[in-house]
Amino acid sequence: MTDISTEIDPYAALQDKEPAKPPRNQWLDVWDQFKKHKGAVFGGGFLVFITLAVLLGPYIWNVDPQKLDIRNKDVRPLWTALWNSDAKTLWHRPFGTDNLGRDLLAQMIAGGRASMAVGWTAMLLSLSIGTAVGVAAGFFKRLDGLLMRMTDLFLSLPILPLLLVAVTLFRQPLRANFGPEGGMFILIVVVVGLTSWMQTARIVRGEVLALKEREFILAARSIGTSSRAIIMRHLLPNVISPIMVSATLGLAVAIITESALSFLGVGFPSDFPTWGKMLADAVPRMEQFPERVLLPGIAISLTVLGVNYLGDGLRDALDPRIRGR
Amino acid sequence: MLTFTIRRLITSIPTLLFISIVIFALLKLAPGDPMAQVPLTVPPEVKQKMREALGLGAPAYVQYFKWLNQFFIVEPQFLIDWMTRDSALFGWLPDTQFSMMYDPELQKLVPQQRTISYQTRSPIMDIVIQRIPQTLWVVGLAYVVGILIALPIGIYSAYRHYSVFDQAGTFITMVGFSIPPFFTGPLLIVIFSVSLGWLPSIYDTTHVVENWASFKYQLSQMILPVMVLALQTTAQISRYMRASMLDNLNQDYVRTARAKGLKENTVVMVHVLRNSMIPVITVIALGVPSIFGGAIITENVFGVNGIGQLLITALFANDTPMVMTITFIFAIMIVAFNLIADVLYGVLDPRIRYD
Amino acid sequence: MKLRTFLLGAIATTAFAPMAMADAHEGERGRDGEVKVIYWQAPSILNPYLSGGTKDIESSSLIIEPMGRYDQDGNPVPFLATEIPTVANGGVSEDLTSITWKLQEGLKWSDGSDVTSADLVFTAKYCMDPEGGCAQLAKFEGVESVEAIDALTTKVTFTTPKPNPYGPFMGGQSPVIQAAQFADCLGARAPECTDANFGPIGTGPFVVTNFKPNDVIQLVANDNFRDPNKPAFASMTFKGGGSAEASGRAVLETGEFDYAWNLQLAPDVISKMAEGGKGTPISAFGALVERLEMNLTNPSPDLPAETRATVAEPHPFLSDIAVREALSMAINRQELVDVGYGDAGRPTCNLVPAPALYASDNTGCLTQDIAGSNAMLEAAGWVKGADGIRAKDGVRISILFQTSTNAVRQDFQALIKDSWNQIGVETELRNLDGSVFFGGDPGSPDTFQKFYADVEMYANVFDGTDPQNYLAAYRCGNEPKPSSQWQGENINRFCDPAYDAMIDELAKTGDLEKRGELGKKMNDMLTKDSFTIVPLVDRGRVSAHANSLGGVILNVFDSELWNAADWYRTGN
C-alpha cells in the first residue's frame, strides 16, 4: 500500500509549465467547430454550388434566356416523361420552356444571377446600415433620440411612392452611366437596402442597451478601453446572433421584394428574368406546369435555408461557450 | 421611466409633424395623376377640370396645411360629436356641435369640410373605420396566432438545440418565409377551395356573425388568409426567439440558477425567457403597426379588402389625401409602439436606463 | 329585410323548380333569390358624373339609367325613352341642332316619386356646372340649352349642328339622376353629398342597401321598376377587388360567384379555369385596339426639355416611312393573338375595326414578312453594321419600346422585340406602372403623352359607336407639348393638312354613308398609308358567368350589366 498520490513535488506544481502542444490558432478552432456542424457545411456547400452555377452556368449552358421559340412553347421538363409519356419534352430543353418558348434552364441560371446579386447586395447593405445605426443609437446616448426618430421616419415611409420618386429622379442618369440593367440593379439594391434596415437597427439597439449596462462592459471601460474597441470587441460579438437571423430573413425579403417591384413595373426590364419574377409569372399556371413555380421556389428556399444553416454554424463556431462542447 | 415616457411623448409631436411633411413631399414628388384610371375616352380638357375640382390647382403648401388642419382639428371634432351623439359610452353627454361652422351666406350651421378622398369623394376617416373589422379579424388574428405558435417553437427549438424538432422547425419556418404569399395564397385556394371545395376563396366583408352557423362560416372564410399570414409571422418571430434563447442558455447565470436548485421549468421559462425577450419584443412591437398597414398581397389574393387593399388602390389611383391619411396613422402607430417597446425594455431588464 | 329576402329565395326555388326547365325567365319579381357579381376593380362611387372609371360607371348602371343605351351590336335602344329620336321620326331636327327626348309614361324613381323632364334638365345642369368637375362633360359638349317642353318631353339644343346628337342621356356614361336628391349637390358641393353619391335613387332594376366604397355593394330589387316581373333576382351582391385571376376562379372553378367582369388573363389560363365546369367564359368584340404608336419626334434625352419629343425635332429614324412600314411588316399579329388573347382577340390593321360602317377593308398587315421587311430597309439605305443593327448616316435603329405593366403586354413586348431583332433592329423594353403611364402628370417623364420613347403600346377605344372625336384627335397642333402642359391626344405628333380638312368635313356631314367613307379614309391615312399607328389586335372583352345564370348578353358598347334586369336562374 504505497501512497503514490501523496508524492507530489511541491516545486514542480508551482512552476510555469510549457503547454504540451503549441496554442492553436483561434480560427482553426472556429473552423473545427464549424466543420462539425453538418447543416452549416451543407448550407455553405450549397451556396458555393449555386453561386458557381449562376456564375459559370452561362458558359456551360449557352442558351440565350431571352430567346423566344414560339413553336416549342410549354415544353415540359425531361423528368415528366417518367410518369407521363404523352408530355411534350425535348432533350435540348431539359427543364422545359415557358409560354413563349424561352428555355427554363437558361432562365434559372440568368434569374439566379440577378436574384443572388440583388439579394446579397441589398441584404449586406441593409445589414450594415442597420447594425451601424443600432449600435450607435444604443451605445451613444446623445445619438439615440435622433437616430431612432429617423428610424421611425423610414419605417413609416410608403415604399411604392418612394420607389416611383427614385425611379423618376435617378433612372435616366443611372441608365446613362450603367446601362438599363445595371442602372436598375443599383436602384433596386439601394431602395431595398434603404427600406429594410430599420428592424435590424431596432433589434441591435435593444440588445446594446441591455449589454452596455453589463459588468464586462463596465470592466472594459474601467481599464480605459476606447468606445471603438468596446463596440468592436465586446458589443458586436454579443449581438451576432440576432444579426445572423436578420441576415437570413433579409436575403429572402430582398429576393421577394425584387419580384414585387417587377410586378409593379418599377423593377428590371420585363424580359430580364429573376427567380422572384419567374415564380410570380408562373402562379396562374401552377396546376398545368407545376415545375415553373417549383424550380424558382425551391431555388429561393434552398438558398435561404443555406444561408440560415451557414449562419447557425458560424454563430456556434464563433461562440466560445458553445465551441468545444 | 415615467419622465422618460412623458419626454418621449412630447418629442413625438415634432417627430410626427416632420414625418408628415416628408410623406407629403414624397407623395407630391412622386409622378402620378388621380386621372390615370379615367378612361382615355375622356378628353384632356375635361380631366383638367376634374383635377381643379379636386383642389389640385392649389399650391403644395396650401394643400399640406389644409390636410393638417383637417386631420388634427376637424376630424377630432367630428369624432367628439359622434361620440356624444351616437356612441354607447358617451352618448349620455349632451350632444356637441364642434364640427359645425357658421356659414354667413346660408345663415346657418354647416359641417366643416373633412378630408375627402379623390376616388370616392367621401370622408376618408369613415372608410378607414369601415375597414377595421376585416383587418383585425384577418391580419390581427393572424398576427396573434403567429406569435402564439412562434414563441413555443422558438423556445423549444433552442432548448432542444439540434433535435429533430429543432431541425424540422427550422426547415419549415425558413421554407415558409422564403415562399412569398403571392404563391402560397393561390396554392391554398387551389387545394382547399377548388379541389376539395371545403373553404371559400373570396372573403365576404358583409358577413355578420350572429349565431353559431354564421360564426362557423366566418371561421371558414378566415382560415386561408390567416394561415398564409401567420406562416410569415411565425417564421420571423420563432427565428429571433430561438437565436436569443440560444445566446442566453449558455450564460453563467443559468448555470448559477440550476446550481442553486431551481426547477428546470423556472430556469428556462422565467430566467432565460425574460432575458431573451428584448429582440423578440422589438420584432413584435414593430409588427403591430403593420397589422394596421394590412397585408397588401394576401388581402388582394383573398379579396379581404382591408386597410392594405385600401392603401394600394389609393396608391394606384394617386389618391393623395387617402394615402397621406393612412400612412400617417401608420406612422403614429409606429412611433407609439416603438415607445412601448422602449418602455418594455426597461421592464424586462431594469439595468436599462434612459435618463 | 334579410329574412324576407331569404324566404323569397326559398319559395322561389321550391315553387318554380319544376317549371324552371320550361321557361325559367318568366315569373314574378325576386323569384330567383340572390345573384353575386364580382369585379376585380372595386367601385369607389356610384355617381358616374364624379368618376370616369369603368368600374363606377358599370356598377351604377344597375341603379341609374339613361334614356337609351347601345345594345350588343352597337344599335341604340330606348330605356327610359319611348323611342330613340332620329331625323326620320322627327326627334332630331333637320338642321341637326336639337334633339327631343320623350320619357315613357308612369316611370317611377325607386322612392316612388315620378320621373319627369325636370330630372333631365337637372342632370344636364349638374354635369355642366363649371365648378363640378364632371367626368362626363364631353357628353354635354356643345349643348346650348336643355329645356322641359312638358312633364315628359325634353329638348336639347346644340350651338352647332351635331351629326351625332346622342351625347347627353345616352349610354352608361350619362344616366338620369333624381333632381330632388341631388338638388344641394351642384358644383363645388358635389363631394359633400356622400349619401347621394353612394346610394343614388334611380330607375334601374336594383336599389343600394349598403355601399362600402372600394369593397362591396349590396342591392335589392327595385319595387318600383317599370317591368313588374323583373328583375328575377331579389338581391344582388356586387363584390369588388382582388385580381382577374381570383374572380375568374370564383366563377369558373369554385362557383362562389355568378358573374365575373373583364377577365384579362392569358387564353390558356382561362380555358384551364373553364375546365372547372362551374361557368362559361363569354366574349364580344368592340372597337378596342391594342396598337403601337410611332413617335414622329425625337425623344432623345440629350435634347433640351423644351424641344425633346416636340415637333421641333423630327425623329432620327422613325420619320422615315420605310422604317415604320418595315417594323409593322415584321410583326406576326396572329402569334400575338394566340399568346395574349386567344378567342378574345383578332389581328387587325385598323384603328377603327368596328362598327362595320367605319371599318376599312385593310388587311395588308396580317401576314408577317421578315424578308420583305429586310428588303425594304435595305432599299431605303438602312444597312446592317458589324453588330447586326441597321444604320444609315451613323443613325442606328435602336428602339426604346415602352408600355404599361401588364402580363400580356410584357409577352407582346418580348415577341415584338424578337421579330424586330430578325430585321436588324435593336429594342430596349420598358414597362411602367399604369398609374404613372396613363396619368397626365406633366412632371413625370414616364407618361404616354410625353412619349419619351420611340415606340409605345396601349389600347384605346371610343365611346358608343361614333368615332368622330376619336379620329379628330390627330389634328395638327393637338399634340402634347410643353406649352399645353403635355396634354393633348395626338400622341404620335401626326400632322397632315389633308387629314385636318377631313376632320372638319366629318364634323359637318350628317349622312351616314358619307360619314363611313370619310371615317375609312381617315383610318387608312393613319394606318396603312403612313404607318403612324400600327394596330395589332382588335381586343374583345372576356367575362364569365355561372352556368346557372341565364339571360346574360355581353355588351361592349355600353355597361356590361346593361341587361341585369333580364338575368335569371336556369335549372342547371
Side-chain angles (χ1 to χ4, degrees):
Chain A
M1 285 277 279
T2 48
D3 197 355
I4 305 168
S5 61
T6 55
E7 286 179 31
I8 297 171
D9 182 358
Y11 296 104
L14 287 174
Q15 269 173 350
D16 277 343
K17 268 188 285 190
E18 286 285 314
K21 46 182 181 177
R24 271 168 61 85
N25 182 326
Q26 182 196 354
W27 296 110
L28 273 177
D29 283 351
V30 170
W31 173 242
D32 278 349
Q33 174 67 24
F34 181 78
K35 274 193 302 190
K36 275 191 215 154
H37 194 298
K38 274 200 215 93
V41 174
F42 157 75
F46 179 77
L47 288 178
V48 172
F49 163 74
I50 202 97
T51 313
L52 286 178
V54 300
L55 286 182
L56 304 179
Y59 300 103
I60 300 161
W61 187 253
N62 55 359
V63 175
D64 179 2
Q66 299 180 2
K67 174 84 184 113
L68 305 184
D69 180 7
I70 204 81
R71 270 174 301 281
N72 288 323
K73 67 172 184 177
D74 294 337
V75 171
R76 305 301 305 270
L78 286 179
W79 57 84
T80 32
L82 291 179
W83 61 86
N84 179 3
S85 51
D86 298 337
K88 180 171 153 192
T89 55
L90 289 174
W91 281 106
H92 64 284
R93 294 281 177 268
F95 281 20
T97 60
D98 73 359
N99 61 322
L100 296 181
R102 288 176 288 213
D103 183 57
L104 273 183
L105 177 56
Q107 288 216 326
M108 282 300 292
I109 294 170
R113 231 177 209 212
S115 287
M116 295 283 279
V118 169
W120 281 99
T121 330
M123 181 261 273
L124 290 177
L125 182 69
S126 102
L127 215 59
S128 36
I129 301 178
T131 311
V133 170
V135 170
F139 193 75
F140 302 106
K141 194 161 284 171
R142 267 175 303 130
L143 291 178
D144 187 26
L146 185 70
L147 286 177
M148 282 304 107
R149 298 300 78 73
M150 191 178 85
T151 313
D152 289 346
L153 170 67
F154 270 87
L155 277 168
S156 42
L157 286 184
I159 183 164
L160 187 61
L162 188 72
L163 255 164
L164 292 176
V165 171
V167 167
T168 315
L169 293 181
F170 304 117
R171 190 185 53 210
Q172 202 51 50
L174 286 172
R175 180 169 173 263
N177 292 323
F178 303 98
E181 277 146 27
M184 217 55 220
F185 175 78
I186 294 175
L187 205 63
I188 289 174
V189 162
V190 170
V191 168
V192 174
L194 281 184
T195 50
S196 57
W197 55 268
M198 293 81 74
Q199 195 177 14
T200 318
R202 293 268 330 165
I203 291 166
V204 169
R205 167 180 169 270
E207 289 270 69
V208 169
L209 279 177
L211 280 171
K212 76 168 179 185
E213 306 297 341
R214 296 267 283 270
E215 294 76 8
F216 68 95
I217 300 290
L218 187 67
R221 205 189 291 275
S222 65
I223 57 167
T225 317
S226 68
S227 295
R228 192 189 133 81
I230 293 181
I231 290 173
M232 298 307 286
R233 203 172 301 156
H234 301 290
L235 286 180
L236 277 184
N238 277 295
V239 292
I240 197 79
S241 59
I243 294 181
M244 281 295 177
V245 177
S246 294
T248 326
L249 299 177
L251 184 75
V253 168
I255 291 178
I256 291 161
T257 309
E258 183 282 314
S259 67
L261 298 185
S262 320
F263 176 72
L264 294 170
V266 284
F268 288 111
S270 59
D271 56 346
F272 184 79
T274 67
W275 284 346
K277 194 158 61 190
M278 290 172 69
L279 179 59
D281 289 350
V283 165
R285 299 186 179 89
M286 66 180 165
E287 284 171 274
Q288 301 102 297
F289 304 103
E291 66 274 7
R292 291 193 207 157
V293 284
L294 288 179
L295 286 172
I298 290 172
I300 298 175
S301 297
L302 284 183
T303 308
V304 172
L305 269 177
V307 176
N308 176 66
Y309 284 124
L310 186 70
D312 265 6
L314 274 182
R315 198 186 53 86
D316 286 3
L318 289 172
D319 188 343
R321 281 182 296 256
I322 294 183
R323 200 188 308 145
R325 279 207 312 177
Chain B
M1 199 50 89
L2 186 67
T3 49
F4 165 76
T5 313
I6 293 168
R7 205 180 63 223
R8 275 284 298 272
L9 279 175
I10 294 169
T11 53
S12 66
I13 294 170
T15 311
L16 283 171
L17 280 178
F18 182 69
I19 291 178
S20 75
I21 294 176
V22 174
I23 298 177
F24 187 80
L26 187 69
L27 295 180
K28 280 287 138 189
L29 266 179
D33 173 12
M35 295 296 115
Q37 292 185 333
V38 173
L40 297 178
T41 47
V42 174
E45 314 85 67
V46 175
K47 286 187 185 164
Q48 191 51 38
K49 287 230 173 68
M50 291 171 75
R51 282 188 203 107
E52 279 159 20
L54 293 175
L56 278 164
Y61 72 92
V62 173
Q63 295 182 35
Y64 173 71
F65 282 110
K66 189 173 158 202
W67 176 85
L68 204 65
N69 173 49
Q70 284 168 342
F71 189 88
F72 282 102
I73 299 171
V74 179
E75 291 296 339
Q77 290 174 342
F78 272 93
L79 182 69
I80 294 170
D81 286 359
W82 174 81
M83 287 205 300
T84 55
R85 195 175 59 240
D86 295 326
S87 74
L89 197 58
F90 296 101
W92 52 272
L93 285 167
D95 289 2
T96 51
Q97 296 268 303
F98 290 119
S99 61
M100 306 301 268
M101 189 179 64
Y102 185 73
D103 185 336
E105 250 177 71
L106 295 173
Q107 309 258 320
K108 63 173 183 183
L109 284 175
V110 292
Q112 298 179 62
Q113 207 195 16
R114 303 176 62 183
T115 6
I116 299 287
S117 150
Y118 289 168
Q119 301 168 80
T120 68
R121 306 293 182 93
S122 71
I124 288 168
M125 276 306 188
D126 293 354
I127 306 176
V128 171
I129 289 167
Q130 209 172 57
R131 294 301 174 97
I132 287 178
Q134 54 257 39
T135 310
L136 287 185
W137 267 115
V138 174
V139 190
L141 190 74
Y143 199 62
V144 173
V145 169
I147 294 174
L148 290 181
I149 300 174
L151 293 184
I153 290 185
I155 295 170
Y156 196 73
S157 298
Y159 189 65
R160 293 263 176 261
H161 195 193
Y162 297 137
S163 64
V164 176
F165 180 86
D166 179 25
Q167 300 288 13
T170 302
F171 187 81
I172 294 169
T173 51
M174 289 320 291
V175 169
F177 192 77
S178 53
I179 292 180
F182 62 70
F183 173 49
T184 36
L187 181 68
L188 289 180
I189 289 179
V190 166
I191 297 173
F192 290 103
S193 304
V194 177
S195 303
L196 298 171
W198 290 350
L199 302 168
S201 70
I202 305 267
Y203 189 93
D204 178 5
T205 47
T206 59
H207 184 72
V208 185
V209 176
E210 49 202 1
N211 53 32
W212 179 241
S214 59
F215 179 72
K216 272 206 307 208
Y217 182 78
Q218 175 66 17
L219 217 56
S220 73
Q221 69 171 347
M222 273 171 15
I223 290 177
L224 292 183
V226 167
M227 259 163 78
V228 170
L229 287 169
L231 185 63
Q232 303 275 313
T233 318
T234 308
Q236 208 184 6
I237 293 175
S238 67
R239 295 317 293 167
Y240 281 110
M241 188 76 243
R242 173 179 176 275
S244 187
M245 285 290 285
L246 277 178
D247 275 357
N248 277 285
L249 277 169
N250 294 310
Q251 299 277 355
D252 297 338
Y253 73 84
V254 180
R255 207 177 328 160
T256 315
R258 282 192 182 129
K260 85 184 174 179
L262 288 182
K263 271 186 281 179
E264 190 63 13
N265 207 11
T266 322
V267 174
V268 176
M269 298 308 288
V270 178
H271 290 77
V272 180
L273 185 62
R274 181 167 170 170
N275 280 296
S276 312
M277 282 308 275
I278 284 186
V280 180
I281 284 291
T282 316
V283 178
I284 293 179
L286 278 182
V288 174
S290 59
I291 296 178
F292 181 82
I296 293 170
I297 293 175
T298 314
E299 285 184 11
N300 202 28
V301 169
F302 294 97
V304 176
N305 293 352
I307 289 171
Q309 185 261 4
L310 190 64
L311 179 63
I312 194 77
T313 40
L315 277 170
F316 281 134
N318 287 295
D319 187 350
T320 317
M322 176 88 86
V323 177
M324 184 74 200
T325 305
I326 297 176
T327 36
F328 190 68
I329 297 176
F330 188 55
I332 296 177
M333 309 264 295
I334 285 171
V335 170
F337 277 91
N338 281 348
L339 172 61
I340 291 174
D342 281 352
V343 172
L344 281 179
Y345 292 166
V347 174
L348 288 172
D349 190 340
R351 281 173 302 196
I352 295 179
R353 292 182 313 254
Y354 297 104
D355 310 303
Chain C
M1 185 49 95
K2 235 184 174 143
L3 184 67
R4 210 196 89 197
T5 313
F6 173 70
L7 284 179
L8 273 178
I11 291 164
T13 40
T14 47
F16 291 91
M19 56 182 286
M21 302 300 255
D23 200 3
H25 50 287
E26 290 301 322
E28 68 189 53
R29 175 179 297 152
R31 62 191 178 274
D32 283 341
E34 194 190 16
V35 62
K36 296 174 92 179
V37 174
I38 186 162
Y39 268 48
W40 52 268
Q41 286 183 349
S44 310
I45 189 168
L46 292 177
N47 180 350
Y49 291 112
L50 292 184
S51 159
T54 312
K55 59 202 167 73
D56 305 316
I57 293 171
E58 302 220 339
S59 52
S60 62
S61 75
L62 293 164
I63 306 144
I64 42 182
E65 297 175 307
M67 297 299 278
R69 289 192 193 279
Y70 298 99
D71 69 5
Q72 68 274 19
D73 303 317
N75 303 316
V77 284
F79 261 63
L80 297 183
T82 48
E83 60 178 351
I84 296 292
T86 57
V87 180
N89 65 23
V92 178
S93 67
E94 287 290 341
D95 61 355
L96 305 175
T97 54
S98 73
I99 180 167
T100 308
W101 289 97
K102 261 182 115 62
L103 280 161
Q104 291 176 27
E105 269 180 59
L107 284 178
K108 298 252 188 253
W109 293 104
S110 57
D111 65 354
S113 59
D114 289 329
V115 182
T116 66
S117 52
D119 293 307
L120 274 79
V121 174
F122 176 81
T123 302
K125 189 176 158 201
Y126 180 84
C127 187
M128 287 161 69
D129 191 294
E131 283 177 68
C134 175
Q136 310 302 344
L137 200 55
K139 290 267 166 196
F140 292 85
E141 193 197 331
V143 172
E144 190 179 72
S145 66
V146 179
E147 52 202 324
I149 305 287
D150 59 47
L152 297 178
T153 317
T154 314
K155 184 177 174 193
V156 182
T157 315
F158 300 100
T159 48
T160 51
K162 279 254 169 186
N164 175 28
Y166 304 114
F169 314 121
M170 182 78 193
Q173 286 91 346
S174 66
V176 182
I177 54 174
Q178 194 196 32
Q181 193 188 20
F182 284 88
D184 289 336
C185 308
L186 286 168
R189 307 182 69 92
E192 286 169 31
C193 298
T194 304
D195 291 341
N197 293 335
F198 283 5
I201 293 170
T203 53
F206 292 95
V207 181
V208 185
T209 54
N210 180 16
F211 176 62
K212 291 186 171 184
N214 285 357
D215 181 13
V216 66
I217 316 171
Q218 287 175 299
L219 309 113
V220 293
N222 177 2
D223 291 332
N224 293 307
F225 189 62
R226 53 187 176 276
D227 186 334
N229 296 326
K230 287 174 181 175
F233 292 100
S235 67
M236 175 186 275
T237 301
F238 187 109
K239 171 88 179 172
S243 58
E245 202 193 323
S247 60
R249 206 184 283 123
V251 170
L252 297 170
E253 290 192 300
T254 67
E256 287 167 82
F257 282 81
D258 295 307
Y259 189 85
W261 164 79
N262 197 9
L263 301 177
Q264 285 184 358
L265 297 166
D268 58 324
V269 175
I270 293 184
S271 53
K272 167 73 186 151
M273 280 181 178
E275 285 169 23
K278 295 278 192 346
T280 318
I282 43 175
S283 59
F285 287 91
L288 184 66
V289 172
E290 187 84 24
R291 80 289 287 282
L292 295 181
E293 304 270 4
M294 301 280 167
N295 195 345
L296 300 179
T297 61
N298 191 351
S300 162
D302 305 331
L303 293 171
E306 306 85 62
T307 54
R308 180 179 183 189
T310 63
V311 284
E313 295 278 353
H315 197 279
F317 53 86
L318 285 179
S319 46
D320 181 350
I321 185 170
V323 175
R324 301 200 297 266
E325 187 170 359
L327 290 175
S328 172
M329 271 166 83
I331 297 169
N332 186 345
R333 288 170 173 76
Q334 187 58 49
E335 194 175 87
L336 294 178
V337 169
D338 293 343
V339 165
Y341 297 101
D343 292 339
R346 42 191 188 207
T348 186
C349 307
N350 281 324
L351 181 63
V352 182
L357 177 65
Y358 294 98
S360 166
D361 57 349
N362 170 11
T363 51
C365 72
L366 294 184
T367 37
Q368 184 190 27
D369 185 358
I370 297 281
S373 178
N374 268 316
M376 179 169 288
L377 287 171
E378 204 72 41
W382 297 93
V383 285
K384 278 190 186 172
D387 54 357
I389 306 302
R390 289 182 187 276
K392 181 162 104 176
D393 307 330
V395 178
R396 292 169 79 243
I397 308 189
S398 172
I399 289 177
L400 176 60
F401 176 16
Q402 69 179 14
T403 188
S404 71
T405 304
N406 164 318
V408 173
R409 292 213 167 110
Q410 266 73 79
D411 285 352
F412 273 30
Q413 277 188 311
L415 287 165
I416 292 172
K417 178 180 177 173
D418 186 57
S419 303
W420 285 351
N421 200 23
Q422 296 174 39
I423 57 168
V425 169
E426 182 182 64
T427 314
E428 180 195 328
L429 304 183
R430 177 185 291 168
N431 55 315
L432 301 156
D433 179 24
S435 65
V436 176
F437 186 64
F438 292 119
D441 185 352
S444 166
D446 295 333
T447 62
F448 80 107
Q449 294 102 326
K450 238 178 189 172
F451 209 165
Y452 280 179
D454 304 301
V455 176
E456 64 186 6
M457 176 170 64
Y458 59 87
N460 200 355
V461 68
F462 47 93
D463 273 343
T465 52
D466 186 80
Q468 181 183 328
N469 290 338
Y470 188 55
L471 290 168
Y474 299 92
R475 189 188 280 279
C476 297
N478 192 26
E479 68 274 358
K481 50 188 175 286
S483 61
S484 68
Q485 296 298 304
W486 294 102
Q487 304 300 316
E489 295 160 298
N490 186 355
I491 301 301
N492 320 69
R493 287 80 159 139
F494 176 80
C495 183
D496 185 344
Y499 187 83
D500 287 6
M502 290 167 95
I503 298 176
D504 295 335
E505 204 186 327
L506 184 64
K508 285 188 297 225
T509 311
D511 180 58
L512 277 180
E513 287 291 312
K514 281 194 189 132
R515 286 179 72 78
E517 252 167 62
L518 265 172
K520 282 180 196 169
K521 241 185 242 170
M522 293 167 80
N523 170 71
D524 291 351
M525 279 178 86
L526 292 170
T527 56
K528 75 172 177 190
D529 298 344
S530 72
F531 294 95
T532 307
I533 295 170
V534 175
L536 299 173
V537 179
D538 176 9
R539 273 174 56 184
R541 173 78 63 83
V542 183
S543 294
H545 67 83
N547 290 337
S548 64
L549 184 68
V552 176
I553 300 174
L554 186 58
N555 183 345
V556 290
F557 295 100
D558 206 305
S559 164
E560 267 191 37
L561 305 174
W562 71 299
N563 74 335
D566 304 335
W567 290 2
Y568 56 89
R569 190 66 73 195
T570 61
N572 34 358

